[in-house]
Amino acid sequence: MLGETPTGGFAHWRVDYQVASEELFEIWARSTGTGLPDRAPGDPLPRMMLDGTLLARFDSSGKATEVRIWWHSTARKP
């Protein structure tokens, strides 16, 4: 947790995962507005690393009223 208030907080997060299919990798690239990393035919799918922050605010019942996520991704060879 980077910071907190009585009604929310701001946190840093990271995730590292193996891309499972060509189709999902292409969907990810289109959704982020980035191109696909250079790969030769037959190269294994890369591992993805996401690094980000999250801001969340909650009402008095604990229900989220605002969630904002910022993230940066990089691909690396497996």
Side-chain angles (χ1 to χ4, degrees):
M1 173 87 60
L2 297 174
E4 62 183 285
T5 70
T7 59
F10 193 65
H12 175 250
W13 57 271
R14 285 188 187 150
V15 64
D16 181 350
Y17 65 95
Q18 178 64 48
V19 176
S21 74
E22 290 285 347
E23 179 184 12
L24 291 175
F25 192 47
E26 290 174 15
I27 290 169
W28 167 84
R30 283 193 307 271
S31 73
T32 62
T34 63
L36 294 171
D38 292 333
R39 291 175 43 232
D43 277 357
L45 290 163
R47 292 193 65 79
M48 298 302 299
M49 298 182 310
L50 304 179
D51 184 77
T53 54
L54 178 135
L55 167 72
R57 291 194 174 108
F58 303 92
D59 66 17
S60 60
S61 71
K63 181 179 177 181
T65 58
E66 180 180 8
V67 176
R68 295 184 184 195
I69 299 173
W70 297 267
W71 56 276
H72 173 75
S73 64
T74 58
R76 64 183 173 96
K77 294 184 178 182

